[in-house]
Amino acid sequence: MLYHPDKHRDPELKSQAEQLFNQVHQAYEVLSDPQSRAIYDIFGKKGLEVEGWEIVERKRTPVEIREEYERLQREREERRLQQRTNPKGTISVGVDATDLFDRYDEDFEEMPGGGFPHIEINRMHISQSIEAPLTNSDTAMLSGSLSTHNGNGGGNINMTLLPSAVFYATVGPLLVYMAIHRLVIIPYTCSQKQQNLELQRKSSEVDMVKKKQEAESAVLLMQESVRRIIEGEESKMGLIILNAWYGKFVTDNSVRQERAQVIDVTVPLQCLVKDSKLILTEASKAGLPGFYDPCVGEDKSLKLLYQFRGVMHQVLSADTEALRIPKQCKYTTTTQPLYNHYSTLTTTIS
């Protein structure tokens, strides 16, 4: 109802509502189909993206779906491994078929056993090679071959490494462990982690811009509904979300160069308030309406200030942690009354 195009008269809002409504429709198609819903319940959105489900027999149990998913994943990993290892091989066979042509000699019929020609495999050669990526720049190649000729045979196995890999393998053991750990392993691990993070950010950059636009559109469409929700909650001294932020927060112990990467999610959370309750399940909050991931690959949290029964509280929740406010438990440490901040917060909200 919130995203239905007919609920919005403004042409721009109507256009944005149509895009979000189409996403809701896609979600409905998944959840209304028993097999698609079962796949989503078990594996999430990534399970629906696996190729091969279209040929799988429908009406399967969750156990059968999990087994099928694992099979499809194994096949996918095997294809990836083949692409990475680049396996190459050759097989050659030598056949002696002299007797096949000698049978046309004039005396062939008189020879014992001459009715069946004798064909013999007298030579065979097999070779195989694979590549094993060690790092982004180092690759090891393993190759082997086997040959036989007239009953005699032999074989060999070769392994080729890049100079950097040879260096680590020969000089490395001679160095002191602590020096290696401090000067090589730690910087390399940090560098690899940073590179992977940068690659992840670049690969999701286009998707992040799209998600941000969708979130901003959703917030605009929520304004009228949020206004009505706040009026209803104020009339019964219910749950009012004063401020809410989602993303990476910088603490006193953080590196100085780091900066906070958060987004304001006050409106989206207030829109989720129903009967003076806000309930979030154990899932990343980046998927909530009006949310997006402001810092891909980083640890994120949700921090909010809310008012309930005239008292203000503060909550800090991990990204995938379930959240329920107001708290029902008598003993809690995650909510703290903020009486002294009332005037400041009301001034900020107004």
Side-chain angles (χ1 to χ4, degrees):
M1 295 295 291
L2 178 67
Y3 297 150
H4 200 290
D6 295 341
K7 296 292 182 180
H8 305 277
R9 297 181 179 180
D10 184 275
E12 184 177 352
L13 292 180
K14 191 179 184 72
S15 175
Q16 294 173 350
E18 287 177 352
Q19 297 178 10
L20 296 174
F21 188 79
N22 289 335
Q23 292 188 9
V24 175
H25 178 65
Q26 293 175 2
Y28 176 78
E29 288 183 337
V30 171
L31 299 179
S32 60
D33 179 70
Q35 173 158 310
S36 297
R37 182 175 186 133
I39 295 171
Y40 182 82
D41 288 344
I42 299 174
F43 306 107
K45 188 177 180 180
K46 66 177 182 179
L48 298 172
E49 297 172 352
V50 175
E51 298 179 359
W53 289 117
E54 60 275 5
I55 60 175
V56 175
E57 182 183 358
R58 307 181 76 82
K59 298 181 180 179
R60 291 198 168 197
T61 64
V63 175
E64 292 173 332
I65 290 176
R66 182 178 295 275
E67 293 175 351
E68 187 64 26
Y69 175 81
E70 292 174 352
R71 184 187 68 81
L72 293 172
Q73 285 292 83
R74 284 196 301 270
E75 292 180 353
R76 186 178 181 182
E77 290 300 323
E78 288 174 359
R79 290 194 296 268
R80 287 181 178 178
L81 182 61
Q82 289 180 354
Q83 293 174 353
R84 292 187 60 189
T85 58
N86 191 25
K88 299 177 182 178
T90 59
I91 299 177
S92 61
V93 178
V95 179
D96 183 0
T98 305
D99 196 35
L100 178 64
F101 299 96
D102 287 344
R103 65 182 303 180
Y104 294 103
D105 294 343
E106 294 181 358
D107 299 333
F108 182 80
E109 295 292 340
E110 299 178 0
M111 296 176 61
F116 299 94
H118 178 69
I119 299 176
E120 180 184 9
I121 298 177
N122 59 5
R123 180 176 57 84
M124 179 178 292
H125 176 79
I126 302 174
S127 64
Q128 180 73 32
S129 67
I130 61 172
E131 297 177 359
L134 301 177
T135 65
N136 291 335
S137 59
D138 301 339
T139 303
M141 177 176 289
L142 181 65
S143 61
S145 63
L146 177 66
S147 300
T148 63
H149 183 69
N150 292 331
N152 298 319
N156 62 80
I157 297 177
N158 299 316
M159 185 172 183
T160 305
L161 299 174
L162 294 180
S164 58
V166 174
F167 174 82
Y168 293 137
T170 57
V171 180
L174 303 178
L175 302 177
V176 181
Y177 172 77
M178 292 303 296
I180 296 178
H181 189 267
R182 180 180 297 272
L183 301 176
V184 178
I185 298 178
I186 293 180
Y188 177 79
T189 303
C190 294
S191 175
Q192 286 294 105
K193 183 179 180 181
Q194 189 63 31
Q195 289 180 10
N196 293 336
L197 186 59
E198 289 298 327
L199 290 175
Q200 187 179 359
R201 288 173 177 171
K202 289 181 180 180
S203 63
S204 60
E205 186 174 352
V206 176
D207 185 61
M208 181 178 175
V209 173
K210 180 182 177 182
K211 293 294 184 182
K212 181 180 179 180
Q213 293 174 347
E214 292 174 352
E216 293 174 347
S217 299
V219 170
L220 290 176
L221 298 173
M222 292 175 181
Q223 296 292 339
E224 184 62 26
S225 296
V226 167
R227 184 185 63 81
R228 292 195 298 267
I229 293 174
I230 291 177
E231 290 177 354
E233 293 296 323
E234 285 179 340
S235 64
K236 56 185 177 182
M237 296 187 67
L239 179 60
I240 305 294
I241 307 297
L242 301 175
N243 289 105
W245 303 272
Y246 172 70
K248 176 185 177 182
F249 296 90
V250 176
T251 63
D252 295 337
N253 297 327
S254 301
V255 182
R256 291 184 178 181
Q257 288 79 3
E258 289 186 339
R259 60 185 180 86
Q261 303 177 36
V262 299
I263 58 175
D264 190 326
V265 291
T266 306
V267 172
L269 286 183
Q270 185 68 65
C271 193
L272 294 175
V273 172
K274 184 177 181 181
D275 299 329
S276 300
K277 295 184 182 67
L278 175 63
I279 302 175
L280 304 179
T281 59
E282 294 182 354
S284 176
K285 297 171 179 61
L288 293 174
F291 281 63
Y292 68 94
D293 192 341
C295 46
V296 177
E298 301 282 358
D299 293 333
K300 292 170 283 291
S301 303
L302 174 66
K303 184 177 183 179
L304 57 90
L305 305 175
Y306 71 90
Q307 178 178 311
F308 183 71
R309 299 290 187 261
V311 179
M312 284 180 289
H313 302 267
Q314 175 178 282
V315 174
L316 182 62
S317 173
D319 186 25
T320 57
E321 180 183 356
L323 177 65
R324 180 188 179 98
I325 57 173
K327 293 292 182 178
Q328 303 296 318
C329 182
K330 181 178 180 181
Y331 302 98
T332 179
T333 58
T334 56
T335 60
Q336 303 172 357
L338 302 174
Y339 303 99
N340 297 331
H341 297 275
Y342 180 75
S343 59
T344 304
L345 289 173
T346 52
T347 302
T348 303
I349 296 300
S350 60

